[in-house]
Amino acid sequence: MLAETGCEGAPSVLVAAGEHSADARHRPCERVINPGDALLVSVGGRWNGYCAEVARVFAVAEPPEDFDAMYSVVLAAQRAAVDRVRPGVACAEAATIAGEVIDGSGYGDYAAVRAGRGIGLSPAEGPWLAAGERFEAGMTVCLEPAIYLPDLFGARVADVVVCGVEGPELLSTGSRALHVLDR
Protein backbone atom coordinates (compact mmCIF):
# COMPACT_ATOMS: atom_id res chain seq x y z
CA MET A 1 0.00 0.00 0.00
CA LEU A 2 2.87 2.36 0.74
CA ALA A 3 4.35 1.86 -2.72
CA GLU A 4 0.94 2.26 -4.36
CA THR A 5 0.49 5.67 -2.72
CA GLY A 6 3.90 6.92 -3.83
CA CYS A 7 5.92 6.19 -0.73
CA GLU A 8 9.66 6.26 -1.41
CA GLY A 9 10.40 3.85 1.40
CA ALA A 10 9.42 2.70 4.85
CA PRO A 11 12.33 3.50 7.18
CA SER A 12 10.48 2.05 10.16
CA VAL A 13 7.91 -0.70 10.59
CA LEU A 14 6.97 -2.15 13.96
CA VAL A 15 4.43 -4.91 14.59
CA ALA A 16 4.28 -6.04 18.22
CA ALA A 17 1.74 -8.35 19.87
CA GLY A 18 0.85 -9.18 23.46
CA GLU A 19 3.59 -8.39 25.95
CA HIS A 20 5.82 -7.16 23.08
CA SER A 21 3.43 -4.26 22.47
CA ALA A 22 4.83 -2.85 25.73
CA ASP A 23 8.27 -2.52 24.11
CA ALA A 24 8.61 0.69 22.09
CA ARG A 25 11.58 -0.76 20.19
CA HIS A 26 10.35 -4.34 19.72
CA ARG A 27 12.19 -6.41 17.12
CA PRO A 28 10.64 -9.30 15.17
CA CYS A 29 10.68 -12.64 16.94
CA GLU A 30 9.07 -16.09 16.72
CA ARG A 31 6.05 -15.23 18.91
CA VAL A 32 2.71 -16.02 17.29
CA ILE A 33 -0.10 -13.46 17.42
CA ASN A 34 -2.94 -14.96 19.49
CA PRO A 35 -6.58 -14.17 20.32
CA GLY A 36 -6.71 -11.74 23.23
CA ASP A 37 -3.48 -9.99 22.21
CA ALA A 38 -3.02 -6.27 21.98
CA LEU A 39 -1.39 -5.51 18.63
CA LEU A 40 0.64 -2.35 18.01
CA VAL A 41 1.44 -1.40 14.40
CA SER A 42 3.64 1.60 13.63
CA VAL A 43 4.77 2.54 10.13
CA GLY A 44 7.08 5.34 9.07
CA GLY A 45 7.28 6.36 5.44
CA ARG A 46 8.89 8.96 3.21
CA TRP A 47 7.07 10.93 0.51
CA ASN A 48 8.76 13.60 -1.62
CA GLY A 49 11.66 13.58 0.81
CA TYR A 50 9.49 14.16 3.90
CA CYS A 51 8.92 11.67 6.70
CA ALA A 52 5.62 10.63 8.22
CA GLU A 53 4.56 8.11 10.81
CA VAL A 54 1.33 6.60 12.00
CA ALA A 55 0.74 4.10 14.80
CA ARG A 56 -2.49 2.32 15.58
CA VAL A 57 -3.59 -0.28 18.10
CA PHE A 58 -5.67 -3.39 17.53
CA ALA A 59 -7.00 -6.21 19.66
CA VAL A 60 -7.14 -9.75 18.31
CA ALA A 61 -10.57 -11.33 18.85
CA GLU A 62 -11.14 -9.38 22.08
CA PRO A 63 -9.12 -6.83 24.04
CA PRO A 64 -7.12 -7.95 27.05
CA GLU A 65 -8.67 -7.15 30.42
CA ASP A 66 -8.48 -3.41 31.25
CA PHE A 67 -7.01 -2.63 27.82
CA ASP A 68 -9.96 -0.49 26.67
CA ALA A 69 -9.61 1.80 29.69
CA MET A 70 -5.87 2.22 29.21
CA TYR A 71 -6.27 2.84 25.50
CA SER A 72 -8.87 5.55 26.11
CA VAL A 73 -6.28 7.37 28.25
CA VAL A 74 -3.75 7.25 25.40
CA LEU A 75 -6.35 8.71 23.03
CA ALA A 76 -7.26 11.46 25.50
CA ALA A 77 -3.57 12.30 25.97
CA GLN A 78 -3.07 12.59 22.23
CA ARG A 79 -6.17 14.77 21.74
CA ALA A 80 -4.99 17.09 24.52
CA ALA A 81 -1.50 17.32 22.98
CA VAL A 82 -2.87 18.00 19.49
CA ASP A 83 -5.00 20.84 20.85
CA ARG A 84 -1.82 22.60 22.09
CA VAL A 85 -0.25 22.79 18.62
CA ARG A 86 -0.78 26.47 17.83
CA PRO A 87 1.56 29.28 16.79
CA GLY A 88 3.24 30.89 19.80
CA VAL A 89 2.48 28.07 22.24
CA ALA A 90 5.49 26.51 23.97
CA CYS A 91 6.25 23.13 22.36
CA ALA A 92 6.73 21.65 25.82
CA GLU A 93 3.04 22.27 26.56
CA ALA A 94 2.03 19.48 24.17
CA ALA A 95 4.20 16.97 26.02
CA THR A 96 3.23 18.33 29.43
CA ILE A 97 -0.51 18.07 28.85
CA ALA A 98 -0.19 14.52 27.46
CA GLY A 99 1.78 13.57 30.57
CA GLU A 100 -0.79 15.20 32.85
CA VAL A 101 -3.62 13.21 31.25
CA ILE A 102 -1.70 9.96 31.68
CA ASP A 103 -0.57 10.84 35.24
CA GLY A 104 -4.13 11.74 36.22
CA SER A 105 -5.34 8.32 35.09
CA GLY A 106 -2.94 6.47 37.38
CA TYR A 107 -0.75 5.20 34.54
CA GLY A 108 1.95 7.85 34.99
CA ASP A 109 4.65 5.35 35.95
CA TYR A 110 4.07 3.56 32.64
CA ALA A 111 4.01 6.53 30.26
CA ALA A 112 6.49 6.65 27.38
CA VAL A 113 9.50 8.86 28.00
CA ARG A 114 8.37 11.30 25.32
CA ALA A 115 4.99 12.25 23.91
CA GLY A 116 6.29 13.24 20.51
CA ARG A 117 8.96 14.90 18.42
CA GLY A 118 9.48 17.03 15.37
CA ILE A 119 9.33 15.24 12.02
CA GLY A 120 10.11 16.43 8.51
CA LEU A 121 13.19 15.70 6.41
CA SER A 122 14.26 13.36 9.21
CA PRO A 123 12.05 11.02 11.26
CA ALA A 124 13.21 12.85 14.41
CA GLU A 125 14.14 16.52 14.35
CA GLY A 126 13.09 19.82 15.87
CA PRO A 127 10.90 21.17 17.12
CA TRP A 128 11.61 19.14 20.22
CA LEU A 129 8.76 19.10 22.69
CA ALA A 130 11.00 20.70 25.28
CA ALA A 131 11.40 24.01 27.05
CA GLY A 132 12.60 26.92 24.99
CA GLU A 133 10.91 26.20 21.66
CA ARG A 134 7.58 27.59 20.49
CA PHE A 135 5.33 26.32 17.75
CA GLU A 136 5.41 28.29 14.51
CA ALA A 137 3.05 27.94 11.57
CA GLY A 138 4.31 25.22 9.23
CA MET A 139 6.13 23.16 11.86
CA THR A 140 5.34 19.45 11.89
CA VAL A 141 5.39 17.14 14.87
CA CYS A 142 4.61 13.49 15.43
CA LEU A 143 2.50 13.28 18.58
CA GLU A 144 2.77 9.78 20.00
CA PRO A 145 1.81 9.41 23.66
CA ALA A 146 2.00 5.85 24.90
CA ILE A 147 1.49 3.67 27.93
CA TYR A 148 3.57 0.51 28.29
CA LEU A 149 2.67 -2.05 30.97
CA PRO A 150 5.70 -4.39 31.13
CA ASP A 151 4.96 -8.06 30.46
CA LEU A 152 1.29 -7.28 29.68
CA PHE A 153 0.64 -4.88 26.81
CA GLY A 154 1.14 -1.36 25.56
CA ALA A 155 -0.61 1.21 23.39
CA ARG A 156 0.71 4.09 21.30
CA VAL A 157 -1.14 6.33 18.88
CA ALA A 158 1.05 8.37 16.54
CA ASP A 159 0.01 11.00 14.03
CA VAL A 160 1.79 13.81 12.22
CA VAL A 161 0.34 17.22 13.03
CA VAL A 162 1.07 20.48 11.21
CA CYS A 163 1.00 23.70 13.20
CA GLY A 164 -1.40 25.71 11.07
CA VAL A 165 -2.02 29.44 11.32
CA GLU A 166 -5.40 28.71 12.93
CA GLY A 167 -4.30 25.68 14.93
CA PRO A 168 -3.48 21.99 14.51
CA GLU A 169 -3.95 20.11 11.25
CA LEU A 170 -3.80 16.31 11.42
CA LEU A 171 -2.23 14.80 8.31
CA SER A 172 -3.65 11.32 8.91
CA THR A 173 -7.35 10.74 8.55
CA GLY A 174 -7.67 7.14 9.73
CA SER A 175 -9.67 6.14 12.74
CA ARG A 176 -8.01 6.15 16.12
CA ALA A 177 -10.64 3.85 17.62
CA LEU A 178 -9.51 0.52 19.01
CA HIS A 179 -9.94 -1.95 16.17
CA VAL A 180 -10.95 -5.46 17.21
CA LEU A 181 -9.82 -7.97 14.60
CA ASP A 182 -11.46 -11.31 13.97
CA ARG A 183 -9.21 -14.26 14.66
Side-chain angles (χ1 to χ4, degrees):
M1 286 175 49
L2 292 171
E4 289 174 6
T5 59
C7 182
E8 300 158 6
S12 66
V13 175
L14 178 137
V15 177
E19 68 280 5
H20 295 297
S21 65
D23 179 0
R25 306 238 185 273
H26 173 67
R27 293 298 202 209
C29 65
E30 298 297 318
R31 187 189 186 285
V32 174
I33 298 171
N34 295 300
D37 278 346
L39 183 65
L40 172 61
V41 178
S42 177
V43 178
R46 187 180 295 276
W47 289 270
N48 294 321
Y50 290 93
C51 295
E53 181 180 349
V54 65
R56 294 293 183 263
V57 176
F58 305 86
V60 180
E62 64 181 69
E65 188 176 337
D66 298 328
F67 189 77
D68 287 332
M70 184 198 72
Y71 184 65
S72 69
V73 172
V74 172
L75 288 178
Q78 191 198 43
R79 278 192 302 272
V82 168
D83 288 345
R84 292 297 198 272
V85 180
R86 300 181 178 285
V89 172
C91 294
E93 283 190 33
T96 299
I97 193 65
E100 288 173 357
V101 169
I102 293 171
D103 286 345
S105 73
Y107 287 107
D109 290 342
Y110 305 101
V113 173
R114 66 175 193 220
R117 67 195 186 286
I119 190 168
L121 294 174
S122 171
E125 60 183 39
W128 304 107
L129 301 184
E133 294 193 63
R134 295 198 171 276
F135 287 114
E136 297 175 20
M139 286 181 165
T140 54
V141 292
C142 180
L143 296 177
E144 54 182 348
I147 297 172
Y148 301 119
L149 298 176
D151 301 320
L152 290 176
F153 47 72
R156 176 174 77 233
V157 178
D159 289 290
V160 175
V161 180
V162 175
C163 180
V165 173
E166 300 295 319
E169 299 172 16
L170 280 164
L171 293 186
S172 50
T173 58
S175 172
R176 286 157 195 79
L178 177 61
H179 302 282
V180 178
L181 307 172
D182 292 335
R183 292 174 36 130

